[in-house]
């Protein structure tokens, strides 16, 4: 029996006006929402300036979106040489395409992996240049959204297998291997990423022979991978621990070797079980890339600061921050949504 | 008679300081159906888990088709003759029913996927569940899952099948479908060692009944003798507890 | 039939031991190689090594240090000041995040859709934006929008808000103050014990406690004859200074850190509440308990057990996140160590100090919260 169409009114009243407290909350929320919506509309749209006219912006009472039209290339692409800026754009599009490809369960096989790997390689080639007739561009000029995306994607891609190995190592019965893995995981997780980035920036060169001149980008990228791997290791360890003994017994009874049991039975289940915390760590990696701006790499946050160092446009920092924030939010929400899709599409891994 | 397929000789097994098996000796011939019963903690599950080396026995010897069960490669080969069905089914939840059945034949016996699939469908037919091939274990009932588990074990073409309380986790109405499947196997001449409380099944199928208590084999006899003239006091006590009183 | 065999040892095969030995040897070789490189590099830069530099005078100032530090004091003192600053930022953030996050968490599971909606939007937005961006936004806003000291916003002569920071008055620690504080703490403890042991309605208990505290504040100075005193901010050459001045750097860091961590605490609280079986609230409903009684007396006590482990990690994370101070010039331990490192070149030692500080803080926090964890009697892995 479906409720009659006119029954929505009593249901509405019950939800929003059920008692004194909730009525007050409803009224206050409505007032705040309406006022907020009006203020946003008025500031952001009605009285806003959309052209990059500094004088007009200062005079206007609304938002100055002109700062975006003026600075968007700097914020999005950093200091990459102007004529070659099609390269990071193309590279980012390809890489995002590769990510979307491997995100679809239909491509969870070697073919998908190959496509994904190729897209990442294409991105790196397009950014660095030096082959296929492209002019070389030093890593210090890489920046903006392409850098953020590259560091995040490459970071996660390499951190997942490493985290898995660390988790398996930590659960090993060999005491030396276990001790090494535990020491690594606890030390890396105990110290903030910014300290590790400073380490990679200033201290790591001291640990290497003077002849080796490792690029800062390489060192920073490696730091992000090693850091994320330690967190992923703990997450995967939880998943591995949750797999009931019976699964190992069944694989043993069927004659599967230790490697086959791990690869076909244990790890696939552990990965599926730890989907939610893994997605959280992936979003964490995206946010952590912002920290590279502290060690002189110009990711999206670094280019934001760069754009705001222009004294003419500095007072319109709110609009610039909103622009960058929307990009981060879009990326983060996209990843979170994908995580929820995976979880619902997922084979139920309930063990009685 | 024929050469024994399983020979267990004076086996002890300890879990820490607790002795789970104590001087257990048993000989199983080809085609025999052995039913093992006993109170919980008597070592029945431990015994059959030692046979295919899920647990490792501490002293004594276990031989399958004449091959000693240790860490050697011959032992691993010989183990492939033995299949096992568990109380908790232990199906792989992330694989479909068909994939559950083809995984081991492809990886261990190096069969081609096509051959493995054909064999899998044949076994699923045998346990009357072929229409569920593309489903995931979580979508099946307990009885269906256990029949899939039996089919999975059969896909490895074993000559010996071990059953560790296969119906104890099932709701009563599903117990019979699994027992029927097991009886089909018995009729086909499979060597079976079954740990169970289902005495009706035991009477119908067993060649020999074994009663274990506190890690030892206390009594061993064909079913008629076992149920009607048990010799040992403990056997009588156990049977008194689990058998329904006979109608007078 | 063969006789019984000797028991086999299946502990470690030769392959296992060999692999471990190889791993050890590789690690030792790596360590030696690194040490060799370090020696070469330090020599070429003519930088010494060792921790003796800690007693040398530090050539920089640590603004807003709460311990006594002046330009030219030892590096050791500078590090101590940095560490004090780290705690000074992290602890209020943890406290604030716990309170705000707790309220938000309850909103996330509220019945009113608008409460749920607001909380949800807040949590999803704050958690998806990098903390660094939030800190920078706060910092930029405060330093750009606040007026100069000469035109500071003020609340009488007690509170001043300007580009120099927020200057607050500070109560002077005299007899009356200490007695009042001691009695107030005793009052709160008594009230908490009363709430746990008996079934006094919590609303009435809170009001009663507040009333008694107000009474205390009124009565104590009259009884001791020593009135309360307050130190007010003063306008100096560099803007307002006073007993308690919070610089824009400090305020930006703490505000951003508090609001960010609150979002995570909210999610932990929500997960804890939802982990309590539905049957519990249904049982309470059958007994005609109100929703708030059910929440505070039935659900939350059980939810607390589930919440403690993730809450512990979140506290440790908040402390680690305070290191973002280095991005806006608030001199916490990372900031001080980096400055020291740039000055005297002892990069390895300074980084080692940072590492040791954070590792010990993590261990300390985990140890303390694990005591509560064990008392609450839940099974952790």
């Amino acid at each position: 029996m479906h409720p009659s169409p006119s029954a929505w009114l009593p249901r509405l009243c019950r939800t929003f006006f059920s008692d004194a407290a909730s009525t007050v909350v409803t009224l206050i929320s409505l007032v705040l929402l309406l006022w907020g919506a009006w203020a946003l509309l008025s500031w952001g749209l009605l009285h806003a300036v959309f052209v990059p006219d500094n004088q007009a912006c200062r005079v206007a009472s609304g938002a100055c979106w002109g700062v975006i039209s003026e600075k968007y290339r700097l914020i999005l692409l950093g200091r990459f040489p102007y004529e070659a800026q099609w390269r990071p754009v193309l590279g980012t599009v390809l890489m995002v395409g590769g990510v979307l490809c491997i995100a679809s369960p239909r491509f969870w096989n070697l073919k998908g992996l190959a496509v994904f790997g190729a897209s990442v390689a294409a991105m790196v080639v397009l950014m660095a240049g030096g082959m296929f007739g492209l002019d070389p561009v030093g890593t210090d000029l890489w920046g903006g959204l392409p850098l953020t995306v590259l560091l995040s994607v490459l970071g996660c891609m390499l951190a997942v297998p490493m985290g898995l190995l660390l988790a398996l190592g930590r659960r090993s019965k060999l005491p030396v291997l276990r001790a090494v893995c535990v020491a690594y995981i606890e030390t890396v997780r105990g110290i903030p990423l910014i300290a590790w980035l400073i380490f990679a920036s200033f201290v790591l060169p001291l640990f290497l022979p003077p002849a080796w001149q490792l690029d800062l980008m390489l060192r920073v990228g490696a730091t992000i991978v090693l850091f994320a791997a330690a967190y992923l290791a703990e997450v995967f360890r939880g998943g591995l621990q949750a797999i009931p003994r019976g699964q190992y017994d069944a694989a043993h009874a069927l004659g599967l070797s230790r490697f086959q049991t791990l690869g076909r039975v244990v790890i696939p289940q552990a990965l599926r079980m730890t989907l939610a915390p893994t997605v959280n760590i992936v979003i964490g990696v995206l946010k952590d890339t912002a920290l590279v701006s502290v060690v002189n790499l110009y990711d999206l946050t670094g280019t934001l600061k760069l754009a705001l160092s222009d004294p003419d446009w500095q007072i319109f920092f709110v609009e610039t921050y909103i622009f960058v924030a929307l990009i981060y939010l879009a990326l983060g929400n996209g990843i979170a949504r994908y995580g929820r899709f995976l979880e619902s599409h997922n084979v139920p891994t309930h063990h009685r | 008679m024929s050469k024994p397929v399983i020979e267990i000789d004076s086996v002890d097994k300890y879990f820490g300081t607790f002795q789970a098996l104590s001087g257990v000796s048993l000989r199983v011939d080809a085609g025999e159906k052995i039913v093992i019963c006993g109170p919980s903690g008597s070592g029945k599950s431990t015994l059959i888990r030692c046979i295919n080396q899920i647990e490792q026995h501490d002293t004594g010897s276990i031989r399958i088709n004449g091959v000693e069960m240790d860490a050697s490669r011959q032992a691993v080969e010989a183990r492939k003759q033995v299949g096992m069905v568990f109380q908790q089914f232990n199906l792989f939840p992330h694989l479909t029913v068909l994939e559950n059945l083809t995984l081991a034949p492809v990886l261990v016996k190096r069969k081609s996927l096509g051959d493995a699939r054909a064999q899998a469908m044949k076994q699923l037919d045998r346990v009357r569940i072929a229409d569920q091939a593309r489903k995931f274990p979580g979508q099946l009932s307990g009885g269906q899952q256990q029949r899939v588990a039996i089919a999975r074990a059969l896909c490895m073409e074993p000559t010996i099948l071990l059953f560790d309380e296969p119906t104890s986790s099932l709701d009563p109405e599903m117990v019979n479908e699994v027992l029927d499947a097991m009886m089909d196997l018995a009729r086909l001449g499979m060597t079976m060692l079954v740990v169970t409380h289902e005495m009706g099944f035991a009477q119908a199928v067993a060649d020999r009944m074994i009663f274990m208590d506190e890690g030892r084999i206390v009594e061993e006899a064909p079913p008629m003798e076992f149920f009607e003239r048990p010799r040992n006091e403990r056997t009588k006590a156990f049977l008194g507890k689990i058998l329904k009183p006979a109608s007078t | 039939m063969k006789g019984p065999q000797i028991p086999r040892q299946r502990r470690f095969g030769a392959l296992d031991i060999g692999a471990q030995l190889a791993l050890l040897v590789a690690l030792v070789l790596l360590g030696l190689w690194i040490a060799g490189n370090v020696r070469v590099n330090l020599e070429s830069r003519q930088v010494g090594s060792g921790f003796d530099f800690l007693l040398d005078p530090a050539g920089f100032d640590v603004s807003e240090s709460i311990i006594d530090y002046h330009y030219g004091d030892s590096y050791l003192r500078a590090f101590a000041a940095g560490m004090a600053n780290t705690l000074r930022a992290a602890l209020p953030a943890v406290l604030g995040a716990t309170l705000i996050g707790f309220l938000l968490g309850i909103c996330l599971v509220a019945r009113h859709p608008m409460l749920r909606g607001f909380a949800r939007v807040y949590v999803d937005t704050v958690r998806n934006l990098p903390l660094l961006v939030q800190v920078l936004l706060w910092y930029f806003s405060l330093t750009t929008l606040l007026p100069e000291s000469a035109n500071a916003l003020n609340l009488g002569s007690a509170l001043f808000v300007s580009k120099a920071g927020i200057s607050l008055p500070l109560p002077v620690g005299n007899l009356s103050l200490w007695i009042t504080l001691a009695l107030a703490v005793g009052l709160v403890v008594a009230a908490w014990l009363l709430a746990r042991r008996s079934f006094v309605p919590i609303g009435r208990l809170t009001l009663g406690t507040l009333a008694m505290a107000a009474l205390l504040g009124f009565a104590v100075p009259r009884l001791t004859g020593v009135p309360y005193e307050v130190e007010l901010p003063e306008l100096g050459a560099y803007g307002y200074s006073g007993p308690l001045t919070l610089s824009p750097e400090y305020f930006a860091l703490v505000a951003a850190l508090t609001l960010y961590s609150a979002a995570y605490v909210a999610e932990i609280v929500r997960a804890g509440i939802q982990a309590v079986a539905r049957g519990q609230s249904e049982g309470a409903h059958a007994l005609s308990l109100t929703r708030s009684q059910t929440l505070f007396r039935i659900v939350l006590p059980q939810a607390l057990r589930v919440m403690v482990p993730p809450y512990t990690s979140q506290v440790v994370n908040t402390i680690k996140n305070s290191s973002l101070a280095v991005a806006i010039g608030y001199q916490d331990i990372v900031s001080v160590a980096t400055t020291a490192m740039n000055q005297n070149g002892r990069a390895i030692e300074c980084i080692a100090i940072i590492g040791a500080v954070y590792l010990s803080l993590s261990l300390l926090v985990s140890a303390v919260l694990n005591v509560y964890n064990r008392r609450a009697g839940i099974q952790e892995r």
Side-chain angles (χ1 to χ4, degrees), chain A residues 5 9 16 39 43 56 65 71 123 177 184 189 217 219 226 235 246-247 262 268-269 286 295 301 329 342:
Chain A
L9 189 57
F16 290 100
W43 176 81
W65 299 116
K71 298 276 181 190
M123 169 69 164
L177 184 59
Y184 175 89
R189 275 165 38 111
M217 184 71 65
R219 280 180 275 146
L226 294 171
V235 165
Q247 293 291 302
L262 268 180
Q269 291 186 58
L286 172 68
V295 283
T301 311
L329 284 174
L342 272 188

Side-chain angles (χ1 to χ4, degrees), chain C residues 163-185:
Chain C
K163 277 207 209 305
I166 300 176
S167 289
L168 300 165
L170 194 64
V172 172
N174 60 13
L175 187 66
S176 291
L177 187 70
W178 296 130
I179 294 182
T180 314
L181 280 176
L183 286 176
V185 168

Side-chain angles (χ1 to χ4, degrees), chain B residues 77-90:
Chain B
E77 267 309 302
R79 232 194 334 115
K80 292 181 189 172
Q81 296 292 311
V82 182
M84 184 156 176
V85 176
F86 300 85
Q87 180 178 355
Q88 302 292 347
F89 329 139
N90 292 337

Side-chain angles (χ1 to χ4, degrees), chain C residues 190 212 255 324:
Chain C
M212 290 209 40
L324 254 54

Side-chain angles (χ1 to χ4, degrees), chain A residues 307-323:
Chain A
L308 287 176
S309 62
D310 182 345
D312 283 338
W313 295 96
Q314 207 173 48
I315 43 166
F316 305 115
F317 65 92
V318 175
E319 290 85 343
T320 352
Y321 268 100
I322 292 181
F323 179 57

Side-chain angles (χ1 to χ4, degrees), chain B residues 97-103 105-106 111-127 129-130 133-134 151-152 154-157:
Chain B
V97 163
L98 194 61
E99 287 165 352
N100 261 276
L101 267 63
T102 56
L103 180 72
V106 166
K111 286 211 171 155
S112 76
L113 193 56
D115 288 343
R117 283 214 182 121
Q119 163 81 294
M121 292 311 292
K122 200 173 89 174
Q123 301 302 344
L124 287 176
D125 253 336
R126 179 187 279 182
V127 293
I129 205 171
R134 305 260 166 210
R152 180 175 71 171
L154 289 173
C155 279
M156 292 295 282
E157 294 162 338

Side-chain angles (χ1 to χ4, degrees), chain A residues 2 7 13 51 56 97 129 132 156 167 177 200 218 228 244 253 264 296 306 319 347:
Chain A
H2 294 290
C13 287
V51 289
F132 303 121
C156 293
L177 184 59
L218 205 61
R264 298 291 190 131
N296 300 322
L306 204 57
E319 290 85 343
V347 165

Side-chain angles (χ1 to χ4, degrees), chain A residues 202-218:
Chain A
F202 296 113
V203 179
L204 196 57
L206 293 177
F207 283 16
L208 302 170
W212 291 19
Q213 294 280 25
L214 282 186
D215 198 59
L216 179 65
M217 184 71 65
L218 205 61

